[in-house]
Amino acid sequence: MSTHNQSKNQQLIAELLSQNTAAQSTKATILEAYLKIAVKEGTTALSLTRLAEELNISKQLVRYHVPDLDQAALELFKITALTGASFTQKSIEGVIRWEEKVLSWIHATFDWVVAYPDFAKFLLFMYHRASVDTEVKELHSKIVNTGRNRLKEVINSCPKKNIQNNSTQLTLIIHQLITAALIEMLSMNDIKNQASYKKTFILSTEYILGTRLK
């Protein structure tokens, strides 16, 4: 499948697979179908047969590229985390003022959900799977720690000593709050009201940091 004919989700998956080959393009197509079925019908609907039917290809071809559905989920969790982190990081590059960095981080977090809603919704499965699957739990822990470390860098760039001295606790509070906000918004299928969630979160962050961000 050519890049020209790929969906936005397929292109994103293909970019993060190790090699830009025809085989990887096929795998990206299968993983995108996995993602689509999971967020629309639930993970219980997934099977090699269901994926083959969705793409109108042979079950053997699906099995060749995606031999293990659990590992496919793990790969998609990693891809989702990488794309989200990259999207957010690009938003704060070149931003000088500390308040603008925090605000850019917030906007990017919600903007990513709007830009890639299927990936964002897929994270809901990761939260559940992490509670019952050791391998997913380890990945989830790495993703959480990486996100918090990036946020802590932003908070530590504040010139105010009281914020710098409490950056670890402030980071934890803000990160847990935005996680809760996103889980509620996604699980309620309420992305259309993301502006309201964002506004509330900005106000909460200003209260926690004791400073206006605008």
Side-chain angles (χ1 to χ4, degrees):
M1 178 178 291
S2 68
T3 302
H4 177 72
N5 293 323
Q6 287 181 329
S7 70
K8 181 171 68 171
N9 287 350
Q10 287 169 359
Q11 289 182 39
L12 201 57
I13 293 169
E15 287 172 6
L16 290 173
L17 294 176
S18 58
Q19 297 176 346
N20 185 20
T21 63
Q24 293 293 49
S25 178
T26 300
K27 183 175 181 179
T29 302
I30 296 171
L31 288 177
E32 194 270 343
Y34 187 115
L35 181 71
K36 177 182 176 181
I37 294 168
V39 299
K40 290 187 176 181
E41 303 174 29
T43 55
T44 56
L46 285 162
S47 68
L48 295 179
T49 300
R50 179 70 181 84
L51 287 168
E53 291 173 348
E54 177 72 21
L55 297 170
N56 196 27
I57 59 177
S58 70
K59 184 177 177 180
Q60 289 72 25
L61 183 59
V62 174
R63 182 184 288 112
Y64 175 79
H65 290 283
V66 183
D68 187 302
L69 292 179
D70 287 339
Q71 286 301 309
L74 196 66
E75 192 161 14
L76 278 171
F77 291 147
K78 292 177 182 177
I79 289 170
T80 300
L82 287 171
T83 57
S86 176
F87 192 98
T88 305
Q89 191 63 30
K90 287 178 182 177
S91 73
I92 62 175
E93 290 177 357
V95 179
I96 305 300
R97 291 184 63 245
W98 172 74
E99 294 87 350
E100 291 179 359
K101 279 187 180 182
V102 177
L103 202 56
S104 294
W105 174 82
I106 294 172
H107 280 295
T109 301
F110 285 92
D111 290 348
W112 175 76
V113 172
V114 174
Y116 296 98
D118 286 348
F119 285 100
K121 291 176 183 177
F122 193 66
L123 284 179
L124 293 175
F125 297 113
M126 184 179 68
Y127 298 130
H128 168 68
R129 287 278 293 277
S131 67
V132 296
D133 185 308
T134 301
E135 193 171 10
V136 178
K137 181 180 179 180
E138 290 176 357
L139 173 63
H140 183 222
S141 179
K142 289 179 182 178
I143 291 172
V144 169
N145 289 334
T146 299
R148 285 180 183 168
N149 287 336
R150 287 200 177 97
L151 176 57
K152 188 174 181 180
E153 288 179 8
V154 173
I155 291 178
N156 272 331
S157 67
C158 176
K160 299 179 180 180
K161 289 297 182 183
N162 64 315
I163 290 180
Q164 290 181 4
N165 293 339
N166 295 286
S167 61
T168 298
Q169 190 63 31
L170 291 170
T171 298
L172 179 63
I173 294 170
I174 293 172
H175 193 269
Q176 287 180 339
L177 279 177
I178 201 163
T179 299
L182 293 177
I183 288 175
E184 178 180 319
M185 184 176 72
L186 292 168
S187 62
M188 298 293 287
N189 198 25
D190 203 21
I191 294 177
K192 64 182 181 297
N193 290 318
Q194 63 87 23
S196 177
Y197 283 90
K198 185 194 297 183
K199 180 180 179 181
T200 299
F201 185 75
I202 290 172
L203 291 173
S204 299
T205 303
E206 288 179 335
Y207 181 79
I208 291 166
L209 297 175
T211 186
R212 290 294 302 272
L213 297 176
K214 295 181 180 180

